């Protein structure tokens, strides 16, 4: 069985912060045969993914980045329109996955975990209640997350420290119910790792 390597956007530039994000995503996916590579910026993630296609061709290499906006086409088409990233010839849409519109949408999709993590003072009613969390603009998700977390002892949401800890705790089933692109990725992993 081939290994699955996921090249994921996030973690900033630091080795320690990338390790935190890698750990959070690894726990979210919950599968020992999935290797997560936290690459930092969007552009660096795409470069690392493209390099892996050549340097590790026997693996199933996947790209996972924020869509940054609503998605109305296939993932490679979306990334071409938004970022002018050309689809590597050896890939198909199944190798490209999007966090729509941002990884924080996945966090907001599970308000129970957020409330438990942040504790007293967490303003759950500040979060978008829309069943399709991917329809909520990135700016609205970020503002809602800041509003909901500001009064807590942990304070306002902190991208790397809080995101990695939350990813590790998320209820995958709850997230996939509200985020169809997350469901698409998890289905792909289930099919390739079963």
């Amino acid at each position: 069985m081939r290994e699955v390597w996921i090249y994921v956007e996030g973690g900033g530039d630091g080795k320690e912060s990338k390790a935190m994000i890698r750990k959070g995503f690894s726990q979210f996916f919950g599968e020992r045969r999935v290797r997560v590579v936290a690459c930092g910026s969007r552009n660096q993630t795409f470069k690392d993914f493209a390099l892996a296609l050549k340097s590790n061709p026997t693996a199933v290499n996947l790209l996972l980045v924020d869509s940054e906006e609503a998605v109305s086409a296939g993932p490679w088409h979306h990334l071409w329109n938004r970022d002018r990233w050309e689809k590597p010839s050896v890939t198909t849409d199944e190798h490209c996955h999007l966090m729509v519109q941002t990884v924080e949408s996945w966090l907001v999709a599970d308000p129970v975990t957020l409330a438990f993590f942040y504790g007293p003072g967490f303003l759950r009613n500040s979060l978008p209640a829309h069943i399709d969390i991917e329809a909520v603009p990135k700016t609205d998700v970020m503002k809602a997350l800041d509003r909901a977390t500001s009064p807590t002892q942990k304070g306002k949401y902190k991208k790397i420290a809080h995101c990695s800890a939350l990813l590790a705790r998320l209820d995958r089933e709850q997230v996939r119910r509200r985020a169809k692109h997350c469901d698409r990725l998890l289905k792909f992993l289930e099919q390739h790792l079963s």
Side-chain angles (χ1 to χ4, degrees):
M1 182 170 298
R2 296 167 68 190
E3 282 187 319
V4 175
W5 289 68
I6 303 177
Y7 293 82
V8 64
E9 174 184 2
D13 295 327
K15 189 176 182 178
E16 188 174 309
S17 57
K18 285 180 183 174
M20 290 170 61
I21 290 295
R22 180 177 55 249
K23 182 178 180 185
F25 273 107
S26 294
Q27 289 177 300
F28 176 74
F29 295 129
E31 176 57 57
R32 289 177 295 146
R33 290 171 291 170
V34 172
R35 306 285 180 128
V36 175
V37 181
C39 303
S41 73
R42 293 174 63 69
N43 287 328
Q44 188 60 52
T45 304
F46 179 68
K47 288 176 188 173
D48 288 351
F49 168 73
L51 180 63
L53 294 172
K54 296 174 185 169
S55 64
N56 194 7
T58 60
V60 176
N61 295 296
L62 304 179
L63 175 69
L64 179 60
V65 294
D66 291 342
S67 71
E68 302 291 344
E69 57 193 32
V71 174
S72 59
W76 280 122
H77 189 75
H78 175 81
L79 293 174
W80 169 255
N81 287 339
R82 189 185 183 287
D83 300 286
R84 293 298 182 236
W85 290 352
E86 195 167 321
K87 177 182 85 67
S89 61
V90 296
T91 67
T92 64
D93 270 351
E94 74 175 4
H95 297 101
C96 183
H97 295 270
L98 302 171
M99 296 175 281
V100 180
Q101 297 183 12
T102 179
V103 67
E104 282 79 12
S105 297
W106 289 11
L107 306 182
V108 170
D110 183 1
V112 172
T113 295
L114 286 176
F116 183 77
F117 179 80
Y118 283 100
F122 180 74
L123 303 175
R124 182 175 174 170
N125 290 339
S126 294
L127 299 177
H130 199 299
I131 192 67
D132 178 6
I133 198 64
E134 295 180 350
V136 180
K138 176 182 176 174
T139 54
D140 293 352
V141 167
M142 298 308 294
K143 286 177 188 173
L145 196 51
D146 281 349
R147 273 193 312 275
T149 59
S150 289
T152 68
Q153 188 173 5
K154 283 186 171 81
K156 240 168 138 172
Y157 171 74
K158 294 172 187 70
K159 180 92 173 166
I160 293 174
H162 292 180
C163 184
S164 58
L166 286 162
L167 281 167
R169 293 169 171 82
L170 287 177
D171 177 346
R172 275 191 304 275
E173 295 308 310
Q174 175 66 14
V175 177
R176 72 192 306 174
R177 275 193 296 275
R178 294 185 67 192
K180 67 182 177 188
H181 287 87
C182 177
D183 182 54
R184 175 180 174 265
L185 172 56
L186 293 173
K187 281 179 179 170
F188 177 89
L189 294 175
E190 290 162 2
Q191 290 167 359
H192 282 76
L193 297 170
S194 60

